[in-house]
Amino acid sequence: MSIHPIYPEILSRLTSTSSSSRILDLGCGLGQDERKLMFDGVKPEKIVGVDISQGLINAGYDLFMDRGSKEEDIITFVKGDILVEDPLKWAEGKLAEGVEIVHVGAVFHLFEWEQQVVLASKLATLTSSKEDAVIFGYQFSSPNPGVHMLGPKKEAKVFGHDKGSWTKLWEEVGEATGTKWRIEILEVIPDRGLVTKGNWGFVNGRLMRFSVHKV
Ligand SMILES: C[S@@+](CC[C@H](N)C(=O)[O-])C[C@H]1O[C@@H](n2cnc3c(N)ncnc32)[C@H](O)[C@@H]1O
């Protein structure tokens, strides 16, 4: 998260004393980005990390050795499945009034188009009541938008985007949720090892850093 081009802007919003903005990190994994946000000055009560895997959240506590640390330093980590659950109900209602900032790193590319629409629609609903709502993150992308195979054995059928298809997805989500979104692609990186390492990524894949702003 911290190497995303809009991280300085996100940090400034989250640390501003005049703002009550909070951040949800969807698919937080080990929670390294939550710890980094706190290290960079964001109050832990403004940070919520959600992942489908309680095992990864627990492994994060073991890795960072901060389980049960001072109460004010405890970030909210929640086990949740964005495809089937209602994010407004996560964290004992902590998100019931919505959230201004969502990070979603390396999650969209795990799914096919229809699941991505579900995912994005839930994020749109979660943020829709907020001024200046922004959803940002990164994912594998492709100059050939469409169905791609992902994973070490290319076993997962997923949808890989370019800017055009990503914009179309958010148009579909906008129509379904009564919202409107402006898409920015901030970086498209041909190959920094992440994409081809272990033959994980798409053939001829890219790494795309995006932001999606509520209009
Ligand atoms: C590739 S990892 C990315 C982790 C982290 N965001 C990062 O950038 O390092 C994708 C994460 O999404 C989580 N995930 C997958 N499906 C999910 C779902 N339906 N709901 C919530 N989290 C999910 C996985 O458990 C995993 O931790």
Side-chain angles (χ1 to χ4, degrees):
M1 185 194 300
S2 64
I3 57 172
H4 194 288
I6 68 164
Y7 186 72
E9 184 193 316
I10 296 293
L11 203 53
S12 146
R13 281 177 65 174
L14 289 168
T15 52
S16 158
T17 47
S18 61
S19 156
S20 59
S21 287
R22 296 174 304 166
I23 183 166
L24 166 70
D25 182 23
L26 177 72
C28 62
L30 296 167
Q32 72 277 7
D33 289 326
E34 283 63 27
R35 273 91 176 180
K36 170 72 172 147
L37 282 163
M38 197 172 81
F39 185 79
D40 287 344
V42 180
K43 289 188 175 151
E45 60 265 28
K46 293 187 160 194
I47 309 168
V48 178
V50 173
D51 203 280
I52 196 171
S53 165
Q54 185 66 51
L56 280 178
I57 294 172
N58 291 345
Y61 286 126
D62 293 342
L63 181 66
F64 294 101
M65 295 190 289
D66 56 2
R67 191 194 294 273
S69 57
K70 268 196 309 172
E71 205 169 288
E72 65 265 31
D73 289 344
I74 297 173
I75 299 159
T76 303
F77 284 107
V78 181
K79 177 183 186 296
D81 182 344
I82 186 72
L83 294 181
V84 299
E85 293 169 22
D86 179 358
L88 293 164
K89 294 188 180 149
W90 280 339
E92 292 163 353
K94 196 171 172 181
L95 306 179
E97 286 169 19
V99 63
E100 296 79 1
I101 302 170
V102 176
H103 179 252
V104 54
V107 177
F108 270 94
H109 65 215
L110 301 175
F111 303 117
E112 294 193 64
W113 180 280
E114 293 75 16
Q115 293 168 307
Q116 291 185 18
V117 170
V118 172
L119 198 173
S121 298
K122 293 205 181 182
L123 297 186
T125 304
L126 182 66
T127 53
S128 65
S129 66
K130 301 293 179 186
E131 287 290 318
D132 298 330
V134 58
I135 297 161
F136 73 109
Y138 71 99
Q139 59 189 311
F140 286 131
S141 72
S142 170
N144 312 110
V147 174
H148 287 258
M149 303 311 285
L150 188 69
K153 295 182 184 150
K154 298 273 175 275
E155 67 276 28
K157 204 168 147 202
V158 301
F159 196 97
H161 290 282
D162 67 355
K163 184 175 182 184
S165 63
W166 185 234
T167 305
K168 193 163 170 285
L169 182 101
W170 282 93
E171 282 168 3
E172 191 172 322
V173 167
E175 276 171 32
T177 56
T179 54
K180 210 166 172 199
W181 302 90
R182 174 172 56 81
I183 309 301
E184 286 192 20
I185 305 299
L186 298 140
E187 277 182 334
V188 179
I189 302 166
D191 182 2
R192 285 195 349 191
L194 251 180
V195 175
T196 50
K197 198 174 174 186
N199 201 26
W200 246 92
F202 302 159
V203 174
N204 199 19
R206 312 275 193 268
L207 192 76
M208 172 174 111
R209 288 205 170 83
F210 62 83
S211 57
V212 180
H213 304 257
K214 188 170 145 265
V215 180

